[in-house]
Amino acid sequence: MKLFSSHWFKVFIGMAALVVLVFSSDTPAVMYLRERTLTFERSLSNSWIGAFLFPRASRELPSRVDESRRIQALEFQLEAANKENELLRSAFDFTRSLGPSADGLKAANVFSYSNELGRETLLVDAGTDKGIGKGALVLDSSFFLVGTVAEAGKFVSKIDIASNAGNAFDAEILPGGAVVVAKGVGGGVFLLDLVPIDMPVRKGDFVGFLPKRGVPYASAIFFLGEVVGEARTESTIFKAVRAVSPVLPASLTMIFILP
Amino acid sequence: MTISKRIFIPVSILCAFAAERWISFLFPEFFFVPPLTVFVISLWFLALSPAAAVFFSFLGGFFLDVMSAFPFGTYTALLLVYAGASAAIRINLAESHKRFALPLWGAIVLFTLPFGVLGIGSIISFLRSIPFHLSVSGFAAALAAAALWAVFYFLLSVGFASGIRRMRRSSRP
């Protein structure tokens, strides 16, 4: 009898500890522990054992000598592209105020990618210390939407990939211009809802993400994906369209965050 | 706990963690990567005392929850459930069936993991009002993949065990 009651006591203690851990997960003490663990993982990812535990695309780069040459070549290309860009801007009379300025973007390095039951997540080495908050937009180097910040710690943030199931965004099919709702279904695929049935949509059309009104970059359009085909629906007014994001979260090494 | 266990437990868990990440990194088209970390931790539960299993549930669960996209506490709760279930299986499995414990328990873990993660995640998100979406199509795909991994592991482990037994028999004089 004593043993029986002792077992139940242990179970009770275990359950109580779990409940305390879950319900106090947002308290400063547990948040501190969580952040410390993530910071430790970030440091670990930069060590030699991190190459084994946290695979990253950038680790496949050649040695440092080749790397410096490659960076020099890239800097040269960037300068040339900037000059070409300025020429095009003046030719088409575009102004810089149309899109987000380079100063507003915060660059961050990806140190972990995980896929749990189809939910993709990135961990990056920038947090509230760089002014990044929950819900901030995350872009890749080509201005394609990668996702949003799900959790922001002091030095580390967790990124929820845009195409994960359950995410939905206001979007626009380009060049048609129809405003639709893009729903993530996982695996880099979006289902575009509320597309008028008479609207012609072709394979290869771009899907632009419309940021919320009121934000500084509200007039900018970020690319979400590319139309790959239509999906069957029972509606007679709207049709559903399938789009695919060209972003491969597993291969991302650097991302840009719009705080 | 013996010294060999103290070494093998962390090494095997780290290897499983790395393998899981390498698979998802090298094959991003895999919708459902086998959850090797949870799988290896739960396999060790069969060889550990209940107190040690609870300790590893909290430790491993916290580490996984910190990195996870699911509500905080999902993996800790899941590992605690597996710790309890492994103890129950160990007690109730007849002596003659003990050799099937490892293949059977591993297959159970692999198959029930989508139910466990999504079920516990939904409960925690409901209790704490955290937005959490359960995709039916995604769940069906995860379940199909989990069933595939479970069958694959069961056949592989049973085949491996019977192969070793045959080798031992044939080597006897």
Side-chain angles (χ1 to χ4, degrees), chain B residues 1 84 92 110 130 140 145:
Chain B
M1 201 189 290
N92 292 308
L110 284 173
I130 302 168

Side-chain angles (χ1 to χ4, degrees), chain B residues 52-75:
Chain B
V54 169
F55 172 75
F56 273 99
S57 302
F58 273 104
L59 195 72
F62 183 83
F63 196 77
L64 291 171
D65 278 327
V66 162
M67 301 182 80
S68 166
F70 291 102
F72 190 80
T74 305
Y75 280 104

Side-chain angles (χ1 to χ4, degrees), chain A residues 3 32-33 42-43 56-57 100 118 121 166 175 177 193 202 222:
Chain A
L3 186 73
Y32 178 79
L33 265 178
R42 188 186 72 168
S43 327
R56 274 190 277 169
T121 318
D193 261 354
R202 293 163 301 177
F222 304 108

Side-chain angles (χ1 to χ4, degrees), chain A residues 43 68 75 91 95 119 140 144 149 228-229 246:
Chain A
S43 327
S68 61
E75 278 174 353
T95 55
R119 276 187 89 83
D140 73 349
F144 273 96
V149 175
V228 289

Side-chain angles (χ1 to χ4, degrees), chain A residues 85-99:
Chain A
N85 207 6
E86 280 303 320
L87 264 171
L88 286 169
R89 270 181 211 284
S90 56
F92 290 111
D93 200 23
F94 279 175
T95 55
R96 277 192 181 275
S97 61
L98 279 173

Side-chain angles (χ1 to χ4, degrees), chain B residues 14-45:
Chain B
L14 282 178
C15 285
F17 180 83
E20 196 178 325
R21 254 132 232 289
W22 274 100
I23 291 171
S24 61
F25 173 69
L26 293 173
F27 308 102
E29 60 275 11
F30 267 26
F31 179 77
F32 181 65
V33 178
L36 293 173
T37 317
V38 175
F39 172 67
V40 168
I41 293 173
S42 54
L43 280 187
W44 275 111
F45 286 167

Side-chain angles (χ1 to χ4, degrees), chain A residues 5-251:
Chain A
S5 61
S6 154
H7 274 308
W8 280 109
F9 184 69
K10 281 177 191 167
V11 169
F12 175 75
I13 293 286
M15 292 306 291
L18 175 68
V19 169
V20 168
L21 185 75
V22 169
F23 281 92
S24 63
S25 59
D26 292 336
T27 55
V30 180
M31 280 305 285
Y32 178 79
L33 265 178
R34 289 167 67 176
E35 274 182 27
R36 286 285 124 194
T37 311
L38 281 175
T39 312
F40 167 72
E41 281 169 17
R42 188 186 72 168
S43 327
L44 195 69
S45 76
N46 293 326
S47 66
W48 63 268
I49 198 170
F52 169 67
L53 290 175
F54 299 95
R56 274 190 277 169
S58 60
R59 293 194 203 280
E60 292 172 2
L61 290 174
S63 63
R64 280 168 189 257
V65 180
D66 293 341
E67 178 70 355
S68 61
R69 278 185 196 154
R70 202 181 67 90
I71 289 171
Q72 275 180 350
L74 280 174
E75 278 174 353
F76 181 77
Q77 279 177 19
L78 181 70
E79 195 58 36
N82 276 341
K83 288 216 165 121
E84 193 182 342
N85 207 6
E86 280 303 320
L87 264 171
L88 286 169
R89 270 181 211 284
S90 56
F92 290 111
D93 200 23
F94 279 175
T95 55
R96 277 192 181 275
S97 61
L98 279 173
S101 67
D103 305 336
L105 288 171
K106 308 284 180 192
N109 291 309
V110 179
F111 68 88
S112 172
Y113 162 81
S114 61
N115 183 344
E116 312 162 83
L117 291 159
R119 276 187 89 83
E120 293 174 290
T121 318
L122 296 176
L123 291 175
V124 298
D125 65 350
T128 49
D129 62 324
K130 285 191 177 175
I132 291 159
K134 193 178 172 182
L137 294 181
V138 181
L139 311 167
D140 73 349
S141 54
S142 312
F143 268 17
F144 273 96
L145 186 75
V146 175
T148 53
V149 175
E151 270 180 49
K154 197 170 181 188
F155 305 110
V156 178
S157 297
K158 203 181 281 181
I159 312 294
D160 184 24
I161 300 299
S163 62
N164 281 344
N167 289 340
F169 303 93
D170 289 338
E172 190 176 346
I173 299 177
L174 303 168
V179 177
V180 296
V181 175
K183 291 179 181 169
V185 290
V189 179
F190 292 97
L191 201 63
L192 309 179
D193 261 354
L194 307 177
V195 182
I197 202 140
D198 56 343
M199 189 195 159
V201 180
R202 293 163 301 177
K203 274 185 187 176
D205 280 357
F206 269 112
V207 181
F209 161 68
L210 301 172
K212 285 176 189 166
R213 285 175 198 158
V215 292
Y217 45 86
S219 56
I221 291 181
F222 304 108
F223 293 118
L224 198 65
E226 183 185 347
V227 170
V228 289
E230 293 184 11
R232 284 188 178 190
T233 54
E234 288 172 4
S235 168
T236 50
I237 308 167
F238 298 114
K239 61 183 173 184
V241 173
R242 215 174 271 274
V244 170
S245 169
V247 177
L248 275 176
S251 62

